[in-house]
Amino acid sequence: MQLDIVVGFFILGAFAQLVRSDLRLPESLYKSCVIFLLLAIGLKGGAALSKSPITTLLPQSMAVVAFGALLPLVAFPILRYIGRWSRIDAAATAAHYGSVSVATYAVAIALLESRGVDYEAYFPLFVALLEVPAIIIGILLAGTAATSTGGASRGADWGKIIREIFLNQGVLLLLGGIAIGAWAGDRTVSVMPFFGDLFHGVLALFLLEMGRVAAERLPTIRRQGAFLLSFGVLMPLLGAAGGAALASLLGLSPGGIVLLAVLGSSASYIAVPAAMAVALPQANASLSITLSLAITFPFNVLVAIPAYLALVQHWS
């Protein structure tokens, strides 16, 4: 099981934090990397989308949205009744695991492309679609607890929540990139020397900072106990199994099976935290961020993604 070269930068960032080096990506550079990656993924997916028949995309998209709504329904009872978390914390964290990590997806894309594995190029559409249902389900799962504390169930708050879901930086850039790519079609070739050729290099810089941030949260894991570590590894495996099964039912390519498994395995640490801060401000955000960023993200990048690819290649 061979890791992609970009993962080495994640390990370097984690090592730098553990030895207390002053290595840190400037905030402006980190934000630029995020913008670049989202637009690059969106543009490539949009260009492929312009050539894909709606009769194929529509049923697949509906199935993916249903999958995204199901994942938090699986995560919630585990957090609530096994972890014995409060209803609010369980609902907010479950939403993170129903949504996706664009960075995890980018690492999977880098690995597939480096190995020459084909996949459905319109997959960024699924990435965008999976951002929304989990947030809505998470808010609904919070239920009466949110209402009693003046949270998300009040009608006046839904406008802010919907705005945060659809107009936060991550979703807006990804959807914008998809829209531009779909409109431009083959004309995207004029910007691909920038967004295509530099993709792996920018991803490497991004992962350097992600490694540092993930290692920074290790003390929180030690304080919270074994349940965090267990959930942060087992829930991604459940999501990956569901994603791979759905991809097989949809007749996706081996690369597509890997990618949908990765999307099911990942957890959001950008879009969902922003939405939950508006919808469920009383939730303990450190729990969900620690789980998604310090446990699930490293597990996916270092172990799960190459393992999914190896398994799919073995069985296909």
Side-chain angles (χ1 to χ4, degrees):
M1 187 171 64
Q2 188 177 7
L3 298 175
D4 189 76
I5 186 173
V6 295
V7 178
F9 291 83
F10 179 86
I11 297 172
L12 176 60
F15 175 77
Q17 177 62 33
L18 292 175
V19 298
R20 300 186 180 182
S21 166
D22 61 355
L23 175 66
R24 181 187 294 263
L25 216 64
E27 185 177 356
S28 58
L29 179 57
Y30 167 76
K31 289 182 177 179
S32 297
C33 289
V34 172
I35 292 171
F36 176 93
L37 291 172
L38 288 166
L39 284 175
I41 290 170
L43 282 169
K44 187 174 181 179
L49 193 63
S50 67
K51 303 174 185 177
S52 303
I54 190 66
T55 53
T56 298
L57 286 175
L58 186 59
Q60 289 185 358
S61 297
M62 292 174 64
V64 167
V65 168
F67 177 58
L70 177 63
L71 285 175
L73 296 175
V74 174
F76 178 77
I78 298 173
L79 294 164
R80 182 81 171 102
Y81 300 112
I82 298 178
R84 298 186 182 279
W85 288 16
S86 70
R87 188 180 186 91
I88 293 289
D89 288 342
T93 302
H96 287 69
Y97 279 82
S99 187
V100 295
S101 161
V102 175
T104 307
Y105 173 79
V107 173
I109 290 293
L111 180 61
L112 291 179
E113 292 181 351
S114 69
R115 302 286 178 83
V117 179
D118 292 331
Y119 59 91
E120 287 74 12
Y122 53 78
F123 246 88
L125 174 64
F126 298 160
V127 178
L129 289 174
L130 282 170
E131 292 282 14
V132 178
I135 295 174
I136 296 172
I137 294 297
I139 295 169
L140 295 176
L141 285 172
T144 55
T147 305
S148 64
T149 54
S153 294
R154 295 183 304 170
D157 288 335
W158 276 100
K160 294 181 180 178
I161 295 164
I162 291 171
R163 178 179 176 81
E164 193 58 52
I165 291 173
F166 291 102
L167 295 181
N168 72 77
Q169 173 181 279
V171 174
L172 185 63
L173 286 170
L174 184 59
L175 287 176
I178 291 172
I180 293 171
W183 166 69
D186 291 336
R187 287 174 291 164
T188 56
V189 70
S190 64
V191 297
M192 279 307 160
F194 179 72
F195 285 105
D197 295 346
L198 297 181
F199 183 83
H200 282 68
V202 174
L203 178 59
L205 282 176
F206 177 80
L207 289 178
L208 180 69
E209 179 65 6
M210 285 295 93
R212 187 196 66 78
V213 173
E216 195 174 39
R217 288 189 168 268
L218 288 178
T220 304
I221 298 174
R222 288 196 290 267
R223 289 195 300 269
Q224 294 294 337
F227 177 75
L228 275 183
L229 188 60
S230 300
F231 181 86
V233 170
L234 293 177
M235 184 60 205
L237 293 176
L238 290 174
L246 176 60
S248 297
L249 289 173
L250 294 175
L252 299 184
S253 65
I257 294 174
V258 172
L259 287 181
L260 198 52
V262 168
L263 292 181
S265 179
S266 68
S268 173
Y269 56 84
I270 297 177
V272 176
M276 289 297 112
V278 175
L280 302 173
Q282 64 273 49
N284 186 347
S286 67
L287 289 174
S288 52
I289 290 294
T290 298
L291 268 171
S292 61
L293 183 55
I295 301 176
T296 296
F297 182 71
F299 170 71
N300 279 324
V301 168
L302 298 174
V303 179
I305 295 175
Y308 300 156
L309 177 56
L311 286 172
V312 169
Q313 288 180 324
H314 176 74
W315 291 107
S316 60

